[in-house]
Amino acid sequence: MMPMLEQKKNTTFSYGLGIAQIVAGIPIAIISMIMILVGFWGFRQAGGFYFIWQLILIPVTTGGAFLIYNGVKTYRFIDNYRKIAAAMEFKNRERVTALAQVTGQDLTSLVRDLRAMSQKGYFPNAYVDFDRCEFSLTDTQVPSPALGDGEIILKETARPSAMPLLSFPYAFLAYYIIKPFTSFSDLIIAGAIGAVICVIAYRKTPGVRVVAESKYKAQPALEPAPIDTGNDALDGLLSNAVTYAGDLNELSLSITNEKMIKPIKELLDVSRQIFAFVERQPAKIKQIRQFMNYYLPTTIKLLQSYRELSREPVKNESVTETMNKIENSMDEIVGTFQRELDNLYRDKAEDISVDIDVMLDMMRNQEISNDFDQDNI
């Protein structure tokens, strides 16, 4: 289990910088806007002087507005980080919807901020787990769970940005301030310039990523092709093997405790090797009867119980004790599975050894016979 949030990032400077940008941007934007209006009403007949006046003040107003926007964005970002850090202080994972309630954000804004916080080092190595609808501080992405039909997940889609539409009225207004309309042709020209800028902005602006809760729709399971090897006993074993391997694979995905991930994977790998061996050597079916009828199904049953206990929201002493007992037994269970596989190969090794001994004896006897025949010639 990875450690909880050990140390919060110092955000005093960034927080102060956001406030400073807001404080500086407001008077700059207001004063320059007033001067633009004064110039429009007082100097618009002054020709070149009016044009230079507006050419200077429009960027200044835009800069002031940008300072306000960036300051508010920084202020909210740091404020949300502090709220999320407080909520994650004693946890490794938290529901994204719970964090959205803490910050008062919609899911799209929250996920965007969480990703930015991870990239900027506020939450190093953290990530948003869309299948679990959780934000995780762990640096290793554990396997996603096997999802059931109708379970709530996070889904990210793209939609066109609305920002390019704002370029039309802005360009239209900028043209009007620089050259007040004196004829209908000015209106047409301003509209055409605004439309061109809007089209260019639309093509250059990436789509907006939207995050929302969604219900997972499970794909219908495909019926496996019937197994027909011509050996009824082998067909039955392989059919059970497919079912057991599927159960173990599902458990390996849905049990996320780091103590259990490795041993479950080992159980799955060893089981597959046993199945493959017996498929090649059907005569060994009787040798793994206890493995197939007791060891394997009982192990799967224990792991399924462990998964159910791990999902309990409140784990009392009895639940914790049972989970610990299963965890502590995994090494011995893995060892038993490996011995089953070793026994199969040991028998094969003994058979090979016997074949070698028989062949060598025959070769030696043949050599002695040849020598005897030569001596009698």
Side-chain angles (χ1 to χ4, degrees):
M1 182 69 66
M2 297 301 298
M4 308 296 178
L5 184 62
E6 295 179 347
Q7 184 177 1
K8 297 179 184 178
K9 190 176 180 70
N10 189 344
T11 57
T12 303
F13 176 77
S14 299
Y15 196 76
L17 181 62
I19 295 176
Q21 290 182 88
I22 296 173
V23 172
I26 290 175
I28 291 175
I30 293 177
I31 292 174
S32 58
M33 179 59 72
I34 292 174
M35 294 179 69
I36 286 175
L37 295 175
V38 170
F40 174 72
W41 293 108
F43 306 124
R44 59 178 174 175
Q45 304 300 329
F49 176 76
Y50 169 76
F51 177 76
I52 295 175
W53 176 276
Q54 303 292 15
L55 192 63
I56 294 173
L57 291 178
I58 289 177
V60 173
T61 304
T62 303
F66 176 78
L67 283 175
I68 296 172
Y69 169 78
N70 198 58
V72 171
K73 182 179 178 181
T74 302
Y75 173 85
R76 288 181 175 175
F77 183 83
I78 299 302
D79 186 55
N80 288 333
Y81 164 72
R82 291 177 174 180
K83 293 176 180 178
I84 294 170
M88 299 292 297
E89 190 167 5
F90 301 105
K91 301 176 182 177
N92 278 330
R93 308 174 72 90
E94 180 58 282
R95 297 281 298 179
V96 173
T97 49
L99 295 179
Q101 293 178 350
V102 169
T103 62
Q105 294 175 281
D106 59 79
L107 293 178
T108 299
S109 301
L110 175 63
V111 171
R112 182 184 63 240
D113 280 357
L114 291 175
R115 286 171 171 168
M117 290 172 190
S118 178
Q119 293 171 358
K120 294 179 180 180
Y122 288 86
F123 295 113
N125 303 316
Y127 70 100
V128 179
D129 190 331
F130 274 58
D131 287 343
R132 292 186 178 86
C133 304
E134 291 178 341
F135 180 60
S136 173
L137 297 181
T138 57
D139 60 355
T140 302
Q141 296 195 18
V142 296
S144 297
L147 298 172
D149 194 38
E151 288 191 43
I152 300 299
I153 61 173
L154 291 180
K155 189 174 182 180
E156 189 172 30
T157 56
R159 62 169 175 77
S161 173
M163 292 301 294
L165 298 177
L166 300 178
S167 61
F168 179 83
Y170 185 82
F172 194 89
L173 179 61
Y175 181 90
Y176 178 74
I177 292 175
I178 294 172
K179 187 183 183 304
F181 299 155
T182 57
S183 64
F184 184 74
S185 61
D186 289 330
L187 181 65
I188 299 298
I189 293 172
I193 294 174
V196 170
I197 293 176
C198 183
V199 171
I200 295 174
Y202 181 80
R203 292 181 176 179
K204 297 294 184 181
T205 304
V208 177
R209 307 299 297 182
V210 179
V211 178
E213 287 187 322
S214 177
K215 288 186 177 181
Y216 177 76
K217 187 174 182 180
Q219 298 297 324
L222 297 177
E223 290 294 332
I227 298 174
D228 185 8
T229 64
N231 184 327
D232 293 340
L234 181 60
D235 292 346
L237 182 141
L238 293 179
S239 297
N240 290 333
V242 170
T243 301
Y244 290 148
D247 291 340
L248 281 175
N249 186 61
E250 181 184 356
L251 288 165
S252 71
L253 295 175
S254 57
I255 295 178
T256 59
N257 188 321
E258 293 180 2
K259 294 181 180 179
M260 301 290 286
I261 292 175
K262 182 179 178 180
I264 294 176
K265 184 178 183 302
E266 291 177 347
L267 293 177
L268 180 58
D269 291 341
V270 174
S271 298
R272 284 172 172 167
Q273 291 180 62
I274 292 174
F275 301 149
F277 185 96
V278 176
E279 185 175 7
R280 296 191 302 270
Q281 303 284 335
K284 301 295 184 180
I285 290 178
K286 294 181 180 180
Q287 189 171 330
I288 65 167
R289 182 171 296 167
Q290 188 175 25
F291 172 78
M292 290 296 294
N293 294 340
Y294 183 73
Y295 292 155
L296 186 52
T298 303
T299 299
I300 291 173
K301 183 178 179 181
L302 286 175
L303 293 174
Q304 290 171 339
S305 298
Y306 182 91
R307 179 177 59 188
E308 293 175 4
L309 293 174
S310 66
R311 292 176 174 175
E312 291 292 334
V314 179
K315 296 178 177 58
N316 55 36
E317 183 177 352
S318 177
V319 170
T320 303
E321 183 179 349
T322 303
M323 291 179 65
N324 290 337
K325 189 172 182 179
I326 296 175
E327 291 171 3
N328 295 333
S329 68
M330 290 306 296
D331 288 342
E332 186 172 350
I333 295 174
V334 171
T336 300
F337 276 45
Q338 289 174 339
R339 283 193 295 273
E340 289 287 331
L341 181 61
D342 290 342
N343 290 337
L344 291 174
Y345 278 98
R346 184 181 299 111
D347 291 345
K348 183 176 182 180
E350 290 175 355
D351 292 341
I352 293 174
S353 179
V354 170
D355 290 340
I356 292 173
D357 292 340
V358 171
M359 182 181 67
L360 291 177
D361 287 341
M362 292 179 65
M363 294 172 67
R364 294 189 189 103
N365 292 333
Q366 181 67 30
E367 184 178 355
I368 293 173
S369 176
N370 291 339
D371 290 342
F372 179 77
D373 292 340
Q374 289 177 1
D375 291 340
N376 290 333
I377 293 176

